[in-house]
Amino acid sequence: MASLTDLVNLNLSDTTEKIIAEYIWIGGSGMDLRSKARTLSGPVTDPSDLPKWNYDGSSTGQAPGEDSEVILHPQAIFKDPFRRGNNILVMCDCYTPAGEPIPTNKRYNAAKIFKDLEVAAEEPWYGIEQEYTLLQKDINWPLGWPVGGFPGPQGPYYCGVGADKSFGRDIVDAHYKACLYAGINISGINGEVMPGQWEFQVGPSVGISSGDQIWVARYILERITEIAGVVVSFDPKPIPGDWNGAGAHCNYSTKSMRNEGGYEIIKSAIEKLKLRHKEHIAAYGEGNERRLTGRHETADIHTFSWGVANRGASVRVGRETEQNGKGYFEDRRPASNMDPYVVTSMIAETTIIWKP
């Protein structure tokens, strides 16, 4: 008799050319990921060859009950690390039946910005550092923390090793490998300053693909923590007090910044970001005021600052970039719950299109 594990791990290609496509989309809160699966007649590699689909938007806070149909438009395909074989994960965005993007569809406007000729010519590269916190399921308290109590002070946990310093490494490593399998350009992982908090980095990614890859990486992490019976939190300050918050630092460069003389372009771009500081902060994630306090490696939310190798600044320029006279910079303001479509496209719009 086959076990449940045997059946879950069945290799469909032994008996059929049909595949399973898991359609993924972002729900009404802007952070809740949803997905459902459908059978396709054979392997697909181009999103334009995939059928559109629909779902009940009244159950996700995205449509009224009397007109609840929302249409899924496939936008990016990834290999499915859970079902494997030729099965796929499909990142979608959401539209009304008339073809209009629904209000929570942030990908639509981001794609328009990245298709702008000026932006496309600059080939914007992104590297996003996604921090998150693993929580014990029934008590919503960080993994590895004593129930109702606190661990020792921060210090030994960042990139730490050992059962008293590192909590959840099996989940983190499973996620790392699953993302590589899926085709996400995940470039690394590390344990963070607060125990139970981790980070993965995705990039370099060009334009809209950065947002697609971060969202699918988040989806894979949600699925893995579901299997492990652990909760993943993207709250920017999950534990009040003398504990680091969680961010999503955005490393950014354009072709002009990467070429000779790029450091002057970088400084000009940073000045533009300074002029639009309030607009960016408003779009960089909810609850960020609890994180951007001027402590715990952050700049104060009300004040824009930048510096070379300064992790207490709004924007950090690497020492190597300064020495080489070209390279990239890091916007340290985005919160861990930011929408990567919004953040990446807004940085491009401000630094390339916007003329103050």
Side-chain angles (χ1 to χ4, degrees):
M1 179 69 73
S3 70
L4 184 60
T5 302
D6 293 334
L7 295 170
V8 166
N9 292 325
L10 272 177
N11 185 354
L12 297 180
S13 59
D14 290 342
T15 56
T16 180
E17 288 190 2
K18 292 179 179 179
I19 68 157
I20 300 170
E22 190 79 29
Y23 279 42
I24 303 164
W25 71 96
I26 301 157
S29 75
M31 271 305 289
D32 57 316
L33 282 159
R34 311 282 179 135
S35 76
K36 60 177 183 171
R38 68 182 297 165
T39 306
L40 301 176
S41 58
V44 181
T45 56
D46 189 329
S48 65
D49 293 332
L50 289 166
K52 293 173 185 172
W53 205 6
N54 65 73
Y55 67 92
D56 170 18
S58 70
S59 295
T60 62
Q62 292 169 297
E66 63 273 12
D67 187 13
S68 66
E69 198 166 278
V70 179
I71 312 301
L72 292 169
H73 288 211
Q75 298 292 357
I77 292 175
F78 299 86
K79 291 173 68 178
D80 186 338
F82 303 102
R83 297 188 177 104
R84 288 167 286 187
N86 290 321
N87 304 300
I88 54 176
L89 304 177
V90 183
M91 190 65 209
C92 304
D93 62 352
C94 306
Y95 296 80
T96 67
E100 295 295 319
I102 65 172
T104 53
N105 180 353
K106 306 303 182 187
R107 191 186 192 279
Y108 178 80
N109 280 329
K112 282 207 300 188
I113 289 168
F114 287 120
K115 285 173 186 169
D116 178 273
L117 293 179
E118 208 178 346
V119 173
E122 282 288 356
E123 293 179 17
W125 290 6
Y126 299 91
I128 294 177
E129 306 169 28
Q130 175 68 71
E131 294 179 340
Y132 60 93
T133 309
L134 297 174
L135 304 176
Q136 301 169 60
K137 182 180 166 195
D138 296 323
I139 57 173
N140 273 3
W141 198 238
L143 204 63
W145 290 36
V147 176
F150 295 87
Q154 295 183 153
Y157 310 109
Y158 171 70
C159 298
V161 179
D164 58 341
K165 304 176 198 72
S166 178
F167 311 110
R169 190 184 295 276
D170 52 347
I171 292 168
V172 174
D173 209 43
H175 175 252
Y176 194 176
K177 291 180 178 178
C179 284
L180 286 171
Y181 179 94
I184 292 165
N185 195 26
I186 186 169
S187 45
I189 55 102
N190 61 269
E192 268 304 330
V193 177
M194 189 183 91
Q197 192 181 85
W198 293 82
E199 172 184 301
F200 65 88
Q201 302 96 31
V202 171
S205 314
V206 181
I208 197 70
S209 70
S210 178
D212 290 336
Q213 291 188 50
I214 283 288
W215 275 116
V216 175
R218 285 174 173 177
Y219 173 82
I220 291 171
L221 182 58
E222 292 273 15
R223 287 281 304 274
I224 289 171
T225 53
E226 174 189 318
I227 293 166
V230 169
V231 173
V232 58
S233 169
F234 294 102
D235 189 292
K237 186 74 173 178
I239 305 295
D242 197 15
W243 304 98
N244 273 39
H249 301 157
C250 185
N251 298 277
Y252 171 72
S253 71
T254 63
K255 186 186 284 186
S256 299
M257 294 174 191
R258 297 187 292 270
N259 290 341
E260 293 302 322
Y263 192 38
E264 291 306 312
I265 307 292
I266 287 171
K267 288 193 283 188
S268 173
I270 292 171
E271 280 304 308
K272 284 182 163 187
L273 290 173
K274 179 180 179 180
L275 293 173
R276 296 190 74 195
H277 178 62
K278 283 185 179 177
E279 292 91 332
H280 279 256
I281 286 293
Y284 274 15
E286 291 203 17
N288 212 9
E289 71 284 350
R290 293 182 282 118
R291 167 181 163 261
L292 295 181
T293 61
R295 299 182 64 220
H296 305 110
E297 299 180 74
T298 70
D300 179 78
I301 194 167
H302 302 295
T303 309
F304 183 91
S305 60
W306 77 277
V308 176
N310 183 355
R311 283 182 160 77
S314 310
V315 170
R316 179 184 69 88
V317 174
R319 189 71 67 191
E320 189 177 11
T321 294
E322 182 190 44
Q323 290 168 350
N324 293 341
K326 61 183 178 180
Y328 71 96
F329 66 82
E330 175 193 41
D331 190 340
R332 298 177 59 82
R333 296 171 296 172
S336 48
N337 60 2
M338 62 86 174
D339 188 323
Y341 293 136
V342 173
V343 169
T344 56
S345 61
M346 193 173 195
I347 291 173
E349 183 183 33
T350 295
T351 60
I352 301 170
I353 300 172
W354 186 58
K355 306 294 187 282

